[in-house]
Amino acid sequence: MKFSLRIFLIFIAWRLCPAVQLLPNMGYFIVVQQFECVVNEQFITKASCDVVTPRNRSINAELVLLQPFKALGGSVKVSIPKKRVFTQIFDITFELCKVLRERKRKALIDILHSLANMGNKNIHCPLHQGHYKVQNVTIADSLPPLLTESPFLLHFTWFLPRVATVMNVTVLGHLYDISREHNRKKKYF
């Protein structure tokens, strides 16, 4: 609990202080080892989730919504390994339209807007049926610079409240610190 609170406070400080974001050689990149999407075919068809090779640092996703959604919930769970078992450090559940309308969860809004800007349609409520696509998406640019290098497991779920799960996304990857990576390269070159 203490570790997840520390991560949360660091993330909030990172988002609220633009001067911190200007520090040189700070930041991260993510190498994605596995990216899977499982959809409920009652709501979504033609879903694909792919890692962009050869560097595996970004992802492509595409789907077709079969019907509009007036209310859509989301859940994000992040786990890191601890003694060979993944331990959950972050768990948040939200209602998409409420987050977009009230703008209280800045981190979620930033991620949603970055996905919308990289995609072929804007995210707004209600969500309209049709084809949605994002290409070369990476979230490492929006991470605070005080996290530690680590493997991670991310579970992201879209659901209709009290009705059904619409889509499950699982990402297995590794978070690397850019400054440490530069030092490793200097050591060998």
Side-chain angles (χ1 to χ4, degrees):
M1 181 68 171
K2 194 183 266 187
F3 181 72
S4 61
L5 179 61
R6 183 176 63 180
I7 296 286
F8 177 73
L9 292 174
I10 290 168
F11 186 74
I12 295 302
W14 170 250
R15 282 300 186 190
L16 295 177
C17 184
V20 172
Q21 297 177 17
L22 298 176
L23 293 173
N25 297 323
M26 299 291 283
Y28 297 91
F29 67 90
I30 291 175
V31 174
V32 179
Q33 296 152 345
Q34 183 179 356
F35 180 46
E36 295 178 353
C37 299
V38 178
V39 299
N40 184 335
E41 293 178 355
Q42 181 181 357
F43 304 108
I44 296 175
T45 62
K46 299 180 184 174
S48 69
C49 297
D50 303 305
V51 178
V52 178
T53 57
R55 297 178 69 190
N56 293 12
R57 292 190 183 180
S58 58
I59 57 175
N60 294 333
E62 175 171 12
L63 60 86
V64 175
L65 285 181
L66 296 176
Q67 63 188 48
F69 294 117
K70 291 182 181 177
L72 190 63
S75 170
V76 178
K77 296 177 183 177
V78 179
S79 302
I80 59 172
K82 188 174 186 179
K83 296 182 182 176
R84 299 184 188 229
V85 176
F86 275 94
T87 304
Q88 186 173 299
I89 62 165
F90 184 77
D91 182 1
I92 187 167
T93 301
F94 59 95
E95 201 274 303
L96 177 66
C97 293
K98 184 177 179 181
V99 168
L100 292 174
R101 182 176 59 248
E102 294 178 0
R103 300 195 174 278
K104 288 185 178 178
R105 295 188 175 175
K106 183 169 175 23
L108 280 174
I109 290 171
D110 289 346
I111 291 170
L112 292 173
H113 283 295
S114 67
L115 288 174
N117 291 338
M118 293 178 204
N120 64 335
K121 291 189 178 186
N122 289 331
I123 296 176
H124 54 81
C125 288
L127 282 174
H128 299 288
Q129 69 186 59
H131 181 252
Y132 288 82
K133 181 178 184 178
V134 291
Q135 291 185 307
N136 293 321
V137 173
T138 180
I139 60 164
D141 297 336
S142 62
L143 295 173
L146 301 172
L147 297 174
T148 59
E149 285 190 356
S150 173
F152 67 90
L153 180 63
L154 174 108
H155 290 287
F156 189 74
T157 304
W158 287 111
F159 59 90
L160 293 172
R162 293 185 220 101
V163 177
T165 298
V166 175
M167 181 175 184
N168 285 315
V169 177
T170 302
V171 180
L172 178 63
H174 197 285
L175 179 69
Y176 291 94
D177 184 332
I178 290 173
S179 62
R180 285 187 179 181
E181 195 64 21
H182 288 306
N183 289 339
R184 283 186 203 117
K185 287 180 183 177
K186 287 178 187 176
K187 181 176 166 181
Y188 293 107
F189 293 111

